[in-house]
Amino acid sequence: MEIQYLKGVGPKIAKYLSSLGINTVKDALFYFPRDYEDRTNIKPISKLENDEMASVIVEVAQIFPSKKTKTGKTLNKILFKNETGFISGIWFNQPYIKNNFKIGEKVLLYGKVSKQFGEITLVDPQYEKDYEETQGINPIYSINKNLTQKIMRKIIKQALNFIDQEVEELLPESLRKIYDLLDIKNAIINIHFPKDKNMLKLAKRRLKFEELLIIQLGLFELKKKYSSSTTSYSMAVSKELKALKEKLPFELTEAQRKVIREILIDMKKNTPMNRLLQGDVGSGKTIISVIALFNCAMNGYQGVLMAPTEILAEQHYNTILELLKDWNINIALLVGSTSKKQKEEIIRKISQGEISIVIGTHALLQENVEFKNLALVITDEQHRFGVRQRATLINKGHNPHVLVMTATPIPRTLALFMYGDMDISVIDQLPPGRQKVETYFVRPNMREKVYDFVKKEIEKGRQAYVICPLVEESEKLEAESVIEMAENLKNNFLKYNKIGILHGKMSASEKDEIMKKFKNNEIQVLVSTTVVEVGVNVPNATIIVIENADRFGLAQLHQLRGRVGRGNYKSYCILVADAKTDDAIERMKIMTKTNSGFEIAEKDLELRGTGEFFGTRQHGLPELKVANLFKDIDILMQTKEVARELIQSRRLLDKDYYKLKLRIEELIQNIGDNISIN
């Protein structure tokens, strides 16, 4: 049933609701509150504690004129009273708020208490005039400026009248009994308007359980769908590996040695390896892939490494070529810009088994690329490839061993969720001599000093990145932002330096050309958006300035910082931000305190929640509405075991599970090409 046909909605409010993703009554029922006001305990003003969230029933005593603060905000203040004292309500940038109150009228206020200099204040409190109806635990919804909490609550109450027609139970009674779960209708009623705190807790648990169980079942089913037989190539540990390690220009870390052992043990088995390799920026994942590919080639099989961009593929190719030059191993690079004639020759040699190691991009996925005996598939920056893309590559061999690598540290909880039964290896140690990047957070009024410092680094012969802020989701605007920033630097701070630009509107060949010039020090300052690729290695670049750094997520800031500190020179990351919110300031502080990608990933997950941590649109999973992987690890692990047992016992085929099975099939269909699993 469409939302506009609910009593009191109509086309106008339906339009406002549509912008929140609410188009039907069912959408409204599953639009869960973001928070709650606990009005079960209304306190007298005299009993209020500093920093607590509290409700008070008061009378409007005085309405003050609006005034401007030093920072240019409009401040509105209203004084309220009851028999136990006085309290002020303060609202910022809401000049019309005073029109909503009349001297002498009674209202219920709810907000955070501040006690300073003998005055008690509520900053930006919620208020209700018909408060007799709202003294329980009240839902707070994410709304837009055209809706109020009061209107939203009325709409949800109306929608709940249709719960029998709109909501179906997916979990059979037998399963609910085992895990002590509410039925779905009770859960939805109590997540919106809880009877009490215990019922709210039970409602959340039921909905989290269902949400996580469905996704876990979807992941298990997808894995089953994309894996065929269980036999694979068994490869002995080559005696030549010792000689290769001795020829390396650096000493392997203990963390690298541990991961290499795990991979070589996997490759000895005749069941396919399915391993995720996580390594922080600069931890040395490339050498792991080189050793795995070398071992594969020495066993007489073919191995492939797929990278998301040409410049990264070329970098890997040059590294591998250099490290394996003393062995008679044929290595080829296959990318989009490879000439037609070269491509045909490489493809012919691959099919005949004359080439043992192939490095490439999406060009490897072409139908005419056929392998003689592909035994190892490695993908770099795994989240950049969809499951069908990797499946296409994997299917070019007979169940080859699979290693996926990422420099995006994923918190263990999220890795367990997203990668199910995949084995996870972590390089949690940086190679000796790797420079710690000194990170500073400065306000925009320090910009001149920042670029003076950049100039000094350039005078020493070093190079710099300047990252432009994110501009909505428009490549055109981002390109304009980069051009404008470069012009500003040329005209003001960096007049006599060679400045290059890089942005999303440029073609792949243009980007590659600019990056080559930067690598060769023909460009001293590269002004760019975030298209500066993960893994690109310019050891001479020692400073990165990130403008409007508060617009970026923690993980993205850490990835950008990883562009510097790759050589023997002291390196710096400067975050320029006019951060105003507590969340933004906290992110800047975290960046200055730690260089550990894993710590940052955990903090990112904690601050932002799981819905956007990994970019839901990027990996295709539905956004979590109630579950939080950081806080709900116990339910996550429980649902994982339930999902595994249901799949293995084939109980999903029982008639009790028919509706749940349909929901999982629908999920798999929706996930499509984008999900990041193997």
Side-chain angles (χ1 to χ4, degrees):
M1 173 176 162
E2 286 183 33
I3 196 76
Q4 73 174 40
Y5 300 121
L6 268 189
K7 188 181 173 187
V9 176
K12 189 178 177 182
I13 289 179
K15 189 181 172 186
Y16 301 149
L17 290 169
S18 182
S19 70
L20 300 174
I22 302 172
N23 297 299
T24 65
V25 170
K26 188 174 181 178
D27 291 338
L29 292 171
F30 283 90
Y31 193 77
F32 300 139
R34 65 171 170 80
D35 206 348
Y36 298 87
E37 297 169 357
D38 185 0
R39 296 183 183 170
T40 53
N41 183 19
I42 293 176
K43 297 178 90 171
I45 293 172
S46 59
K47 298 284 184 187
L48 294 174
E49 301 286 338
N50 190 39
D51 277 349
E52 75 170 325
M53 297 299 293
S55 299
V56 287
I57 293 175
V58 288
E59 182 183 312
V60 180
Q62 189 175 353
I63 300 170
F64 297 95
S66 302
K67 63 178 186 180
K68 288 277 184 187
T69 67
K70 286 179 184 175
T71 56
K73 290 178 179 175
T74 305
L75 184 144
N76 279 88
K77 182 176 175 179
I78 298 173
L79 185 68
F80 301 91
K81 67 179 181 179
N82 65 19
E83 60 279 6
T84 72
F86 289 87
I87 189 168
S88 299
I90 289 178
W91 288 266
F92 290 101
N93 292 335
Q94 295 183 56
Y96 305 109
I97 195 90
K98 58 181 184 284
N99 301 337
N100 297 342
F101 296 95
K102 289 177 186 166
I103 303 287
E105 76 177 334
K106 281 196 166 184
V107 293
L108 182 144
L109 299 178
Y110 176 82
K112 191 174 186 178
V113 178
S114 170
K115 294 178 92 172
Q116 280 186 321
F117 313 115
E119 187 178 13
I120 305 172
T121 309
L122 292 177
V123 178
D124 200 20
Q126 301 281 330
Y127 61 92
E128 298 278 351
K129 294 186 181 181
D130 50 353
Y131 54 85
E132 286 81 5
E133 298 173 18
T134 59
Q135 288 186 29
I137 298 172
N138 288 287
I140 301 173
Y141 298 93
S142 293
I143 54 173
N144 52 38
K145 63 180 180 182
N146 300 304
L147 295 164
T148 65
Q149 294 296 336
K150 190 174 174 182
I151 290 171
M152 199 68 188
R153 286 172 195 149
K154 279 186 176 174
I155 290 165
I156 300 293
K157 277 182 178 170
Q158 285 285 332
L160 285 168
N161 293 329
F162 297 88
I163 195 165
D164 288 338
Q165 298 102 292
E166 297 291 340
V167 176
E168 57 183 8
E169 180 61 80
L170 298 182
L171 306 185
E173 192 179 352
S174 56
L175 188 71
R176 297 201 312 270
K177 272 187 177 174
I178 294 168
Y179 294 98
D180 194 22
L181 300 169
L182 290 182
D183 65 89
I184 188 66
K185 288 171 188 173
N186 235 326
I188 287 176
I189 290 165
N190 279 280
I191 199 155
H192 288 293
F193 299 100
K195 185 180 169 188
D196 52 41
K197 286 178 185 175
N198 186 51
M199 284 306 286
L200 175 59
K201 188 179 171 185
L202 292 173
K204 282 184 175 180
R205 186 170 176 273
R206 156 61 207 248
L207 292 163
K208 287 173 181 180
F209 189 98
E210 179 178 306
E211 189 170 54
L212 291 172
L213 178 64
I214 286 169
I215 295 176
Q216 298 277 15
L217 283 165
L219 293 173
F220 275 119
E221 286 286 5
L222 262 175
K223 283 177 197 300
K224 216 166 72 173
K225 184 177 173 184
Y226 284 106
S227 63
S228 44
S229 66
T230 54
T231 58
S232 187
Y233 301 87
S234 172
M235 295 181 231
V237 177
S238 169
K239 289 175 184 174
E240 290 291 311
L241 268 180
K242 190 181 175 192
L244 173 60
K245 287 177 190 174
E246 284 170 359
K247 283 187 180 289
L248 293 177
F250 48 81
E251 188 75 24
L252 291 170
T253 64
E254 192 44 52
Q256 287 172 322
R257 290 177 192 278
K258 179 176 172 284
V259 170
I260 289 164
R261 280 195 297 273
E262 289 169 348
I263 290 167
L264 293 175
I265 288 167
D266 280 355
M267 289 171 74
K268 277 173 85 171
K269 296 173 186 172
N270 60 5
T271 53
M273 168 172 71
N274 194 21
R275 189 169 286 277
L276 170 71
L277 173 58
Q278 290 194 72
D280 206 347
V281 175
S283 61
K285 293 178 302 300
T286 305
I287 191 58
I288 307 288
S289 63
V290 172
I291 288 170
L293 289 164
F294 177 77
N295 193 57
C296 176
M298 297 313 286
N299 273 271
Y301 299 115
Q302 291 173 298
V304 63
L305 170 57
M306 183 163 72
T309 64
E310 288 200 12
I311 194 156
L312 211 46
E314 198 173 309
Q315 194 169 285
H316 284 318
Y317 173 70
N318 291 330
T319 301
I320 292 171
L321 212 56
E322 177 61 27
L323 290 172
L324 305 187
K325 65 184 178 188
D326 294 338
W327 286 269
N328 187 26
I329 298 173
N330 282 338
I331 303 165
L333 176 69
L334 187 62
V335 293
S337 63
T338 307
S339 71
K340 192 182 174 191
K341 191 179 176 185
Q342 275 181 304
K343 235 179 227 174
E344 286 170 359
E345 182 64 8
I346 290 167
I347 289 168
R348 183 188 65 76
K349 286 183 175 178
I350 291 171
S351 68
Q352 291 176 5
E354 291 174 35
I355 292 173
S356 300
I357 297 175
V358 188
I359 319 296
T361 54
H362 295 76
L364 293 163
L365 304 175
Q366 294 167 4
E367 267 185 52
N368 59 345
V369 179
E370 293 175 2
F371 289 80
K372 188 180 179 186
N373 56 2
L374 180 61
L376 175 65
V377 170
I378 303 176
T379 54
D380 191 15
E381 284 312 307
Q382 52 75 34
H383 61 279
R384 303 284 292 275
F385 301 105
V387 70
R388 286 189 195 132
Q389 289 177 311
R390 271 198 308 283
T392 300
L393 192 53
I394 290 162
N395 289 336
K396 289 177 184 285
H398 171 71
N399 251 16
H401 296 287
V402 175
L403 178 67
V404 294
M405 306 194 298
T406 180
T408 307
I410 307 162
R412 181 153 179 77
T413 47
L414 197 57
L416 283 167
F417 173 61
M418 292 195 64
Y419 296 98
D421 283 348
M422 247 185 144
D423 296 307
I424 299 171
S425 287
V426 177
I427 308 176
D428 52 7
Q429 181 184 9
L430 289 180
R434 173 79 185 184
Q435 293 283 329
K436 184 190 174 207
V437 179
E438 293 291 338
T439 304
Y440 300 95
F441 160 41
V442 301
R443 299 287 179 178
N445 60 2
M446 296 283 286
R447 197 173 267 123
E448 191 171 342
K449 285 188 177 177
V450 167
Y451 286 106
D452 273 347
F453 184 58
V454 171
K455 232 184 318 190
K456 282 173 186 164
E457 282 295 293
I458 292 167
E459 282 164 10
K460 290 180 195 170
R462 308 286 82 83
Q463 291 164 272
Y465 294 95
V466 176
I467 304 300
C468 285
L470 294 166
V471 185
E472 296 159 348
E473 287 196 7
S474 160
E475 278 190 351
K476 184 175 184 289
L477 288 175
E478 285 199 352
E480 286 170 9
S481 164
V482 168
I483 294 161
E484 194 180 315
M485 171 65 78
E487 286 299 319
N488 183 26
L489 291 177
K490 272 179 196 170
N491 295 332
N492 295 296
F493 304 118
L494 302 172
K495 285 182 179 175
Y496 306 109
N497 300 115
K498 294 168 191 166
I499 297 174
I501 60 170
L502 195 67
H503 54 75
K505 289 287 280 183
M506 296 165 79
S507 68
S509 60
E510 284 174 321
K511 286 180 200 167
D512 283 349
E513 184 60 31
I514 290 290
M515 280 313 299
K516 276 175 188 165
K517 282 185 176 177
F518 189 57
K519 281 185 88 167
N520 296 334
N521 206 356
E522 294 168 42
I523 289 170
Q524 294 167 314
V525 180
L526 183 62
V527 181
S528 174
T529 60
T530 55
V531 296
V532 174
E533 289 298 346
V534 169
V536 169
N537 197 25
V538 184
N540 193 49
T542 58
I543 187 164
I544 183 164
V545 179
I546 303 174
E547 291 279 355
N548 291 69
D550 52 324
R551 294 194 196 175
F552 298 89
L554 270 175
Q556 203 166 23
L557 287 172
H558 181 63
Q559 287 292 344
L560 289 167
R561 175 168 63 184
R563 299 310 97 236
V564 296
R566 292 176 162 263
N568 301 319
Y569 312 111
K570 186 83 191 140
S571 294
Y572 307 89
C573 171
I574 301 174
L575 309 170
V576 182
D578 189 18
K580 289 188 172 77
T581 66
D582 291 346
D583 177 65
I585 293 165
E586 176 66 11
R587 272 183 288 135
M588 298 303 105
K589 284 180 179 173
I590 290 163
M591 287 297 295
T592 61
K593 283 176 191 167
T594 181
N595 271 58
S596 163
F598 291 97
E599 273 183 50
I600 284 167
E602 287 288 352
K603 283 285 183 187
D604 207 17
L605 186 59
E606 198 175 345
L607 284 172
R608 290 201 287 158
T610 48
E612 53 177 297
F613 173 84
F614 215 67
T616 319
R617 283 170 301 176
Q618 187 182 54
H619 64 60
L621 287 173
E623 188 168 340
L624 296 174
K625 288 180 182 232
V626 276
N628 178 311
L629 299 183
F630 193 77
K631 295 172 183 169
D632 301 320
I633 186 69
D634 54 337
I635 302 175
L636 170 69
M637 299 312 290
Q638 193 176 52
T639 53
K640 189 173 177 182
E641 285 311 307
V642 175
R644 185 183 282 117
E645 194 275 324
L646 288 176
I647 297 280
Q648 287 174 352
S649 65
R650 299 174 67 80
R651 278 172 63 206
L652 276 184
L653 299 174
D654 295 355
K655 65 178 191 309
D656 288 355
Y657 286 89
Y658 178 68
K659 285 178 180 172
L660 180 61
K661 193 168 184 298
L662 284 182
R663 177 70 188 89
I664 295 154
E665 285 169 2
E666 181 191 333
L667 172 73
I668 291 168
Q669 189 66 36
N670 288 342
I671 284 170
D673 186 40
N674 295 318
I675 193 160
S676 297
I677 64 162
N678 262 27

